Amino acid sequence: MHAQVPGPKLYIVHNGQGSPCLDFRRVPDLLAEACSGTDLIIIEGMGRAIHTNLNASFLCDSLKLAMIKTERLSTKLFGPHGSLYDCVCKAVAHRILHAWAAGMKLGLKSLFIAL
């Protein structure tokens, strides 16, 4: 018999929205409850990560990933050097920085990925 090794948990919960964008102000109760206590949220996709959540702040660490698929948006984000298919990777270490400042060690307990 193998002993269970405790480790990070990955939850997959429907976001209740039909568009490529993800508005965290309007999510089903099940999703809100599942995200409670999350250590890291990963938001992937141009609609979810850029259009609706690029500057959103969370109470946990976040990683926003997207490939830009319009020249207008690439120019808006990157100026005249922006081009089609540029990529965005925005990481915000909210809890880790606070824990480090307080001298605490954090273990990753749960992860939420918005795909």
Side-chain angles (χ1 to χ4, degrees):
M1 185 163 76
H2 297 281
Q4 279 192 325
V5 177
K9 296 177 184 174
L10 174 64
Y11 297 99
I12 300 173
V13 181
H14 192 273
N15 67 27
Q17 299 178 22
S19 77
C21 295
L22 180 58
D23 185 350
F24 280 104
R25 296 170 301 167
R26 295 182 174 99
V27 296
D29 290 341
L30 180 63
L31 176 58
E33 291 168 11
C35 292
S36 178
T38 296
D39 295 303
L40 172 66
I41 182 169
I42 300 172
I43 306 172
E44 186 273 335
M46 193 170 90
R48 291 172 176 86
I50 304 298
H51 289 306
T52 54
N53 294 297
L54 183 62
N55 296 313
S57 60
F58 301 96
L59 297 176
C60 63
D61 300 339
S62 64
L63 179 61
K64 299 161 188 173
L65 306 168
M67 178 184 294
I68 306 303
K69 294 175 231 152
T70 64
E71 288 187 28
R72 182 193 61 78
L73 184 57
S74 66
T75 302
K76 180 180 175 182
L77 291 172
F78 304 113
H81 300 291
S83 61
L84 198 60
Y85 305 121
D86 280 347
C87 294
V88 172
C89 177
K90 183 176 182 180
V92 179
H94 182 81
R95 289 188 62 188
I96 290 174
L97 288 177
H98 289 281
W100 177 77
M104 299 181 299
K105 293 183 181 179
L106 280 181
L108 187 63
K109 292 177 279 199
S110 60
L111 171 68
F112 174 77
I113 302 176
L115 300 174

